[in-house]
Amino acid sequence: MPQAIAPSVTVAPSVSTAPGGGRAAPGSEFAPLLRKVKERGLLERRKGWYTRMIAGNLLALALVVTGLVLAGDTWWTLPLALPLAILSARTAYIGHDAGHAQIAVGRRVNRAIGLLHGNLLLGMSYAWWNDKHNRHHANPNHIEKDPDVGVGALVWTAEQAAVRQGFARWVTRHQALLFFPMLLLEGIALKVNSVRDLWRQSPRERAVEGVLLALHIAGYATLLLTCLPVGKAIAFALLHQAFFGLHLGMAFAPNHKGMEMPDPAGERWGHLRRQVLTSRNVRGGPVTDWLLGGLNYQIEHHLFPNLPRPHLRLVQPLVREHCRGLGIPYAETGLLDSYRQGLGHMHTVGAAARPR
């Protein structure tokens, strides 16, 4: 879903020894690009576009739920788990955009949209995701600061892999092969982490988020158990969450895996290089944009996190031209090749845990 309001675009000092260019004066690399984007009005909100998109998504969800109710006690109800999972990912994308303040200017409106789509509709904590996702945006692929490349079920550096022990070491050895199967558990993992995070939140925030999470669980269970006997209800829920986790994971996987990882001991990169060199775009058309929720424009999204989703494709030529002028690599590839690159990186990292 993918956040509290994501950091607004700022001009970070640029002191670079990064690949693809020489040393630059503070702020000189990103500032001209930011001016162009502002002059074209691309940071302006698209309330009408988001209103239509949210309404369409809610209507589609209602139609799937209606189909579930009408189908009733039959195994033919189970295929509805797939469209429900796809629409759940659309719901997560809306929450993601709300967290980045892409939908409305005011914090309250964005938070309300995020709580509706995250906590109530998905059972996923808006506050938990925002905290984690904002830290990722601030320092993408930074091994000490980005929670997305911290040690977990998977590891992202040879140093992390070398110290793994027991079953975790076996998983690391085979993590490239296990990656997509493990995504089938991501939908459940998101909910577990959301509940755990309630104790980190302030009492007031915990009360709101906790009630909405409880309402989601109660409503989800009531819907399934009203329409289906227990066995089929459990089967439907497992399929729904598995497809949802797989779809969401496949949308996020191409973005940074196998890209540059800043050296914690090295010089600090400026905003432009920190975001461009660690991100990868995925080529495609309207179908790719829809399936990936605009996250295929990952470079543009990281440079301008509060840029409305429909403007990402419009700002892309400006970013690409700007990077070309500075001699900064601009990574863009097809969807399948992005997976190949990411899995290749995981396989290479896993070698540190394999017998020599």
Side-chain angles (χ1 to χ4, degrees):
M1 175 179 92
Q3 24 214 29
I5 301 302
S8 298
V9 175
T10 56
V11 180
S14 176
V15 180
S16 177
T17 56
R23 201 175 183 85
S28 64
E29 291 187 315
F30 183 61
L33 177 61
L34 178 59
R35 280 197 299 271
K36 288 181 181 179
V37 172
K38 284 184 174 180
E39 288 169 359
R40 286 163 174 75
L42 295 175
L43 290 174
E44 297 296 322
R45 301 299 180 266
R46 291 286 300 275
K47 296 179 182 178
W49 186 91
Y50 273 109
T51 298
R52 293 189 297 273
M53 193 260 290
I54 291 172
N57 187 66
L58 291 175
L59 177 60
L61 283 170
L63 290 175
V64 173
V65 171
T66 301
L68 179 62
V69 172
L70 294 177
D73 182 7
T74 170
W75 288 107
W76 291 106
T77 301
L78 297 187
L80 289 174
L82 179 58
L84 185 59
I86 294 173
L87 293 171
S88 295
R90 311 271 83 65
T91 303
Y93 297 152
I94 294 170
H96 168 270
D97 291 3
H100 279 298
Q102 294 176 17
I103 300 176
V105 176
R107 180 179 181 277
R108 289 185 178 180
V109 175
N110 284 301
R111 183 169 182 264
I113 294 172
L115 288 170
L116 168 65
H117 289 81
N119 293 58
L120 187 60
L121 294 180
L122 294 177
M124 190 165 105
S125 170
Y126 178 71
W128 165 71
W129 177 266
N130 286 339
D131 175 70
K132 176 177 178 289
H133 198 57
N134 281 336
R135 286 185 284 131
H136 158 70
H137 263 265
N139 292 281
N141 269 12
H142 192 293
I143 201 63
E144 295 179 353
K145 299 178 180 180
D146 182 358
D148 288 357
V149 291
V151 175
L154 304 173
V155 297
W156 310 104
T157 70
E159 291 75 16
Q160 291 175 336
V163 298
R164 300 279 265 185
Q165 299 295 328
F167 179 69
R169 188 174 184 87
W170 181 88
V171 171
T172 298
R173 291 176 187 172
H174 306 285
Q175 62 179 9
L177 292 174
L178 294 172
F179 178 68
F180 286 114
M182 290 173 70
L183 287 180
L184 296 172
L185 301 174
E186 184 64 16
I188 296 174
L190 293 172
K191 292 173 173 57
V192 172
N193 288 326
S194 296
V195 173
R196 286 178 175 174
D197 188 68
L198 289 175
W199 313 115
R200 177 195 62 84
Q201 300 171 20
S202 67
R204 182 176 180 180
E205 188 174 48
R206 184 188 309 142
V208 174
E209 295 238 347
V211 167
L212 290 175
L213 290 176
L215 286 173
H216 168 81
I217 295 171
Y220 188 67
T222 300
L223 171 65
L224 294 185
L225 292 174
T226 300
C227 300
L228 300 166
V230 175
K232 290 175 184 171
I234 293 175
F236 185 95
L238 290 176
L239 281 174
H240 173 214
Q241 298 305 320
F243 286 142
F244 170 57
L246 180 64
H247 182 17
L248 206 58
M250 291 179 70
F252 283 89
N255 301 340
H256 304 282
K257 310 311 179 192
M259 295 302 295
E260 292 278 354
M261 301 187 76
D263 182 0
E267 291 189 80
R268 185 173 181 269
W269 295 354
H271 179 70
L272 185 78
R273 292 173 188 266
R274 183 166 62 249
Q275 306 299 344
V276 173
L277 294 173
T278 59
S279 302
R280 178 193 295 112
N281 275 14
V282 175
R283 286 192 295 268
V287 174
T288 304
D289 292 358
W290 187 80
L291 284 173
L292 301 186
L295 296 175
N296 44 311
Y297 301 103
Q298 191 66 195
I299 293 174
E300 289 71 28
H301 172 55
H302 263 256
L303 285 172
F304 305 97
N306 54 351
L307 189 81
R309 194 193 308 178
H311 289 171
L312 289 169
R313 64 181 180 83
L314 301 178
V315 82
Q316 185 184 34
L318 300 177
V319 175
R320 187 189 285 119
E321 179 184 2
H322 189 69
C323 289
R324 185 185 298 117
L326 292 172
I328 298 175
Y330 181 95
E332 185 175 30
T333 188
L335 182 61
L336 294 181
D337 190 56
S338 72
Y339 293 140
R340 181 192 64 79
Q341 293 181 34
L343 292 174
H345 173 72
M346 284 188 277
H347 178 75
T348 300
V349 167
R354 291 191 282 271
R356 296 186 179 278

